[in-house]
Amino acid sequence: AAAGFKLNGSELISSANPTISSGFGTSASIVSGNGTAAFTINVGSAGKATRGVIGLPVAAHGWTCWTNNITAAKGHRPENPRQILSTATSATIENQSTLTGAAIAWGNSDLLQVSCFAY
């Protein structure tokens, strides 16, 4: 496998593809990707799911992830996923209302575009 990208001796972007650790919806999956730099999650059959955990390679301290729900954006739904927790091996993403900040359920088969950087 190709090496990731390091900055000041620490991994910044990994060539290893992320995984779905828990949450999102039934049959959630990484449907395309280029390591941690850019990948797409299909949240699956969401039901009442409002958050999910992305499994990531080991970072020195944690991960900062930017996420965009392109399905919600295309449908003009007032929601956006936001990172709410980071560990050295994961990032937790929650779908939030852009009007109130409250956690709200994903739509079935919503597509999330994600980029994660280690710190």
Side-chain angles (χ1 to χ4, degrees):
F5 178 78
K6 293 186 180 233
L7 181 65
N8 297 325
S10 294
E11 184 150 59
L12 177 66
I13 299 170
S14 175
S15 62
N17 285 322
T19 61
I20 302 296
S21 294
S22 64
F24 296 105
T26 303
S27 300
S29 62
I30 307 291
V31 293
S32 61
N34 187 15
T36 65
F39 56 97
T40 302
I41 296 172
N42 182 320
V43 300
S45 299
K48 296 182 179 184
T50 60
R51 63 176 64 167
V53 180
I54 302 167
L56 296 157
V58 177
H61 304 283
W63 289 89
T64 298
C65 299
W66 286 270
T67 308
N68 181 39
N69 185 333
I70 62 172
T71 308
K74 182 178 179 183
H76 304 285
R77 296 185 345 232
E79 59 191 73
N80 194 46
R82 303 192 64 188
Q83 182 176 352
I84 60 169
L85 184 65
S86 173
T87 72
T89 58
S90 70
T92 302
I93 307 297
E94 180 178 77
N95 199 36
Q96 296 182 356
S97 166
T98 57
L99 302 174
T100 66
I104 56 176
W106 310 102
N108 287 331
S109 298
D110 276 0
L111 295 176
L112 311 180
Q113 292 180 323
V114 187
S115 293
C116 294
F117 300 89
Y119 63 92

